[in-house]
Amino acid sequence: MPCPARSAVTGSCVNDGVHIIRGYSLTSTPFATVCGNEIPAPLTVAGPVLLNFYSNEQITDFGFKFSYRIISCGGVFNFSSGIITSPSYSYTDYLNDMHCLYTITVSDDKVIELKFSDFDVVPSTSCSHDYLAIYDGANTSDPLLGKFCGSKRPPNVKSRNNSMLLVFNTDSFQTARGWKISFRQTLGPQQGCGGYLTALNNTFASPDSDSNGIYDKNLNCVWIIIAPVNKVIHLTFNTFALEAASTRQRCLYDYVKLYDGDSENANLAETFCGSTLPAPFISSGNFLTVQFVSDLVLEREGFNATYTIMDMPCGGTYNATWTPQNISSPNSSDPDVPFSTCTWVIDAPPHQQVKITVWALQLTSQDCTQNYLELQDSPQGHGNSRIKFCGRNASAVPVFDSSTSTAVVIFKSGVVNRNSRMSFTYQIADCNRDYHKAFGNLRSPGWPDNYNSDMDCTITVTAPQNHTISLFFHSFGIENSVECRNDFLEVRNGSNSNSPLLGKYCGALLPSPVFSQNNELYLRFKSDSVTSDRGYEIIWTSSPSGCGGTLYGDRGSFTSPGYPGTYPNNTHCEWALVAPAGRLVTVNFYFISIDDPGDCVQNYLTLYDGPNASSPSSGPYCGGDTSIAPFVASSNQVFIKFHADYARHPSAFRLTWHS
């Protein structure tokens, strides 16, 4: 009796089956072989494709019916303009395992401009899985202009010559909607349309390729002016004559836009059209982007502009050292000083922090929207990392220690004059810290390198009133000694060294989480003069319910209250995990034992694929299952809810997460 047929995407299917062969030859190794009675998943094969149906002399069956669709993947585009879409765009998501090459070539004296009208490609770190790569030439050895994934629409891309290569690559996992791009030939920097300007002063103008006295049609020229650090750019228009605004006084046809930064994604400062000569403009930093757009209808004489590089009146980027350095805001009533906002970015060496001491502050108004001092934990700091002083509290500015290697000082005054001033000192901070926030991270000095010898650091963490604090240890390594006499980290429930001791730690064993009984914790880290270790990394959060809170970062862990002991009755916790943008969160069930009758109604753990409880959920989980598959989110945020009416048996859990 013959062996029964077995279904296979790649298998023997000895008796009856269908070989799917790439190419024209029956002797080629099949790309896939199918048989049995299971309908195979759709296959994508680079054509041409040969189907070879075979059967033996014994059992027969109903046979098969295949449908196929030819999908365009790549191509050559020798046109002055056109539209390119990803395979299957507009009727289904793109397919897995594709590698498509699109070559665009225009006239020899022109360049290519791409504009994205839609973009949705599965995100990944460094766009390493699914991506669209754009090369400035016809080969992958030419300069890479950009590599894109995710759902954010990329900016316009312009080549430097008359050819461009697009490479669309997908892996064998997730798919997405795809993309739609329009391209056209236009003038480039060699013809005076855009480019990078780095000289200390220069002049540029609207392109007039045929020298007929008016600018060319259908242009999109972008000049990016780059000045040295702590310099600014002074732009002056010498002549200006563009098509006038629309009936609604909007510049819709031909216009010049100024972006106060290094691209068209920076803040839009001004838009000009018509014949009125624009006022001079001074950038707030060392980049300025100028965009000129013309349509297909009416052209005029255009513009001529000159820029010069000048010293920054206030603000800038500075490097902190152990020696204190002083900075003051401008103290001038000169009307040529155009700034009402000064921003200083202070950088310390890696793994060090910045200490800011404000020693003079005077504001001319009680209006906190136009007159204030703001100290910011980092350029990308979260809301709780910002402290603003204005109005009546302007004189009560404490010493500010950043929790990262960067601090930002922002001083805003409606008018910068002799009656409005601010002065501060910056330096590398010592290891003593005071945190007044709802969440944050704590690292030993020098992390992730070994800490120094002969250190004695004190840290106080103060959460909002009615909150309690949870400490979760992510990494730990402190020289081991008897009773932790030499190097140690001690945690106390309160604000000083006399508060009740919650734990004293050393060695390499990762400590269990620490939970406070009020809104303050006192930590002391001490090292002797002999040996050192890598130190510690701690994430802390707080919540009015005794557990829960927001956890930021690319990885971490959290537990039920009192872990590894049993959580109390009537416990309710809510955590929000927030990873860096563009990264997917994965949650692992390290340990779970939630006592419940079995229906997960009174005691349960639920995970949500998104920022809150209205997002798609997974669970609820209860009981003592130790083999729960990891939870993989579709974004950088996960919301977690834990509820327990009671705990009759030893119950606790610990979850870990990474992105």
Side-chain angles (χ1 to χ4, degrees):
M1 182 174 179
C3 296
R6 68 182 179 91
S7 176
V9 173
T10 300
S12 57
C13 296
V14 175
N15 299 323
D16 300 354
V18 178
H19 290 313
I20 302 174
I21 302 169
R22 180 186 295 151
Y24 297 102
S25 175
L26 282 173
T27 60
S28 300
T29 302
F31 176 80
T33 301
V34 294
C35 57
N37 53 14
E38 297 177 13
I39 298 178
L43 295 175
T44 303
V45 186
V49 172
L50 180 65
L51 301 180
N52 172 218
F53 171 55
Y54 60 91
S55 63
N56 63 11
E57 298 176 350
Q58 301 178 27
I59 302 173
T60 63
D61 212 321
F62 291 107
F64 66 88
K65 180 179 180 180
F66 289 167
S67 63
Y68 71 90
R69 181 173 65 242
I70 297 175
I71 299 174
S72 174
C73 175
V76 177
F77 299 83
N78 296 320
F79 316 115
S80 60
S81 63
I83 294 177
I84 303 175
T85 62
S86 56
S88 306
Y89 181 83
S90 77
Y91 56 86
T92 185
D93 291 355
Y94 60 76
L95 301 176
N96 291 321
D97 298 315
M98 305 192 78
H99 187 75
C100 310
L101 306 179
Y102 304 83
T103 303
I104 306 172
T105 305
V106 297
S107 302
D108 291 340
D109 59 343
K110 297 292 193 300
V111 298
I112 303 162
E113 182 184 39
L114 299 184
K115 183 176 182 179
F116 292 81
S117 55
D118 189 20
F119 194 82
D120 183 28
V121 173
V122 175
S124 59
T125 304
S126 302
C127 296
S128 57
H129 298 298
D130 293 9
Y131 61 83
L132 177 68
I134 302 174
Y135 294 89
D136 192 15
N139 302 290
T140 55
S141 58
D142 291 315
L144 180 67
L145 296 175
K147 188 177 183 182
F148 306 105
C149 62
S151 56
K152 182 179 180 180
R153 191 163 55 184
N156 293 355
V157 178
K158 184 180 285 188
S159 67
R160 294 179 178 84
N161 53 56
N162 72 322
S163 62
M164 184 180 280
L165 175 66
L166 281 62
V167 178
F168 182 49
N169 189 83
T170 69
D171 63 12
S172 58
F173 299 102
Q174 291 177 280
T175 63
R177 186 173 65 252
W179 44 267
K180 181 179 181 180
I181 300 174
S182 61
F183 71 88
R184 67 184 182 95
Q185 69 177 21
T186 184
L187 299 180
Q190 293 182 345
Q191 296 81 35
C193 180
Y196 291 91
L197 305 177
T198 58
L200 294 180
N201 57 76
N202 206 342
T203 298
F204 60 98
S206 50
D208 178 11
S209 60
D210 55 6
S211 302
N212 65 349
I214 59 176
Y215 52 78
D216 294 306
K217 297 180 179 180
N218 200 24
L219 294 178
N220 185 1
C221 307
V222 177
W223 292 269
I224 299 176
I225 307 173
I226 305 173
V229 174
N230 295 337
K231 301 284 186 178
V232 294
I233 301 154
H234 186 282
L235 180 70
T236 302
F237 288 92
N238 306 310
T239 61
F240 197 89
L242 271 62
E243 184 177 0
S246 66
T247 54
R248 296 184 180 182
Q249 299 302 307
R250 297 175 60 190
C251 298
L252 298 177
Y253 310 126
D254 301 352
Y255 54 83
V256 170
K257 288 187 175 183
L258 303 184
Y259 297 91
D260 193 9
D262 60 356
S263 72
E264 298 160 73
N265 295 323
N267 292 329
L268 176 62
E270 300 284 354
T271 301
F272 305 113
C273 59
S275 300
T276 302
L277 191 69
F281 180 82
I282 299 178
S283 65
S284 63
N286 62 319
F287 292 96
L288 180 63
T289 299
V290 182
Q291 181 187 29
F292 171 56
V293 172
S294 65
D295 62 12
L296 292 166
V297 186
L298 179 65
E299 288 70 50
R300 294 192 59 192
E301 292 82 4
F303 69 87
N304 179 286
T306 299
Y307 74 87
T308 56
I309 305 301
M310 55 187 290
D311 291 331
M312 182 177 288
C314 71
T317 301
Y318 298 86
N319 294 320
T321 64
W322 291 107
T323 303
Q325 304 289 330
N326 291 328
I327 289 181
S328 296
S329 61
N331 188 14
S332 171
S333 58
D334 185 352
D336 291 333
V337 177
F339 288 93
S340 63
T341 302
C342 305
T343 302
W344 293 272
V345 179
I346 313 297
D347 289 320
H351 319 308
Q352 300 285 357
Q353 286 77 44
V354 179
K355 179 180 180 179
I356 303 292
T357 304
V358 178
W359 50 272
L361 176 62
Q362 181 173 321
L363 297 170
T364 58
S365 169
Q366 298 293 311
D367 181 2
C368 287
T369 62
Q370 296 297 319
N371 300 267
Y372 61 83
L373 167 67
E374 184 173 304
L375 305 177
Q376 194 170 308
D377 207 29
S378 70
Q380 293 80 32
H382 301 288
N384 286 347
S385 302
R386 304 167 186 261
I387 305 176
K388 181 182 286 188
F389 301 92
C390 62
R392 295 180 180 178
N393 76 344
S395 60
V397 183
V399 173
F400 179 81
D401 289 321
S402 68
S403 62
T404 68
S405 60
T406 301
V408 180
V409 180
I410 302 172
F411 179 60
K412 181 176 177 62
S413 177
V415 177
V416 178
N417 55 41
R418 289 188 176 90
N419 297 319
S420 177
R421 64 191 182 92
M422 191 273 297
S423 300
F424 66 94
T425 298
Y426 67 92
Q427 65 186 106
I428 297 175
D430 57 27
C431 64
N432 298 308
R433 296 282 185 275
D434 290 302
Y435 294 103
H436 295 264
K437 300 190 296 182
F439 55 84
N441 54 34
L442 305 173
R443 298 185 178 97
S444 52
W447 175 269
D449 300 323
N450 285 13
Y451 54 80
N452 296 327
S453 58
D454 290 320
M455 302 189 73
D456 195 347
C457 311
T458 60
I459 301 167
T460 58
V461 176
T462 305
Q465 288 292 332
N466 302 321
H467 280 220
T468 57
I469 303 169
S470 304
L471 296 184
F472 301 109
F473 292 82
H474 288 182
S475 183
F476 194 83
I478 294 179
E479 180 198 358
N480 202 4
S481 60
V482 177
E483 296 181 351
C484 297
R485 293 174 182 172
N486 300 333
D487 296 7
F488 61 82
L489 173 70
E490 70 176 27
V491 182
R492 295 181 177 271
N493 187 69
S495 60
N496 55 60
S497 59
N498 296 320
S499 301
L501 182 66
L502 294 176
K504 187 175 183 180
Y505 310 101
C506 63
L509 184 65
L510 196 69
S512 296
V514 177
F515 301 92
S516 72
Q517 279 81 56
N518 54 42
N519 70 320
E520 292 182 309
L521 280 180
Y522 175 89
L523 293 82
R524 182 188 179 197
F525 174 56
K526 186 179 183 305
S527 65
D528 61 14
S529 59
V530 186
T531 61
S532 65
D533 208 328
R534 69 178 184 276
Y536 57 83
E537 181 184 24
I538 303 171
I539 298 294
W540 64 274
T541 185
S542 66
S543 171
S545 63
C547 59
T550 303
L551 297 171
Y552 288 92
D554 59 359
R555 60 192 175 88
S557 68
F558 58 96
T559 70
S560 54
Y563 180 90
T566 298
Y567 47 78
N569 295 335
N570 299 311
T571 296
H572 186 86
C573 312
E574 295 181 355
W575 291 273
L577 310 182
V578 183
R583 303 180 69 166
L584 307 183
V585 175
T586 298
V587 180
N588 293 283
F589 296 81
Y590 180 86
F591 174 81
I592 179 170
S593 176
I594 300 176
D595 179 37
D596 190 80
D599 52 6
C600 299
V601 172
Q602 295 172 289
N603 311 294
Y604 59 86
L605 180 72
T606 304
L607 282 67
Y608 298 88
D609 188 6
N612 51 51
S614 63
S615 306
S617 64
S618 177
Y621 302 99
C622 63
D625 188 356
T626 59
S627 60
I628 302 174
F631 173 81
V632 181
S634 62
S635 70
N636 68 318
Q637 297 189 62
V638 172
F639 184 76
I640 299 171
K641 182 188 295 185
F642 171 60
H643 180 84
D645 290 344
Y646 63 86
R648 293 176 182 168
H649 303 289
S651 298
F653 67 84
R654 179 185 177 192
L655 303 185
T656 64
W657 62 284
H658 64 274
S659 65

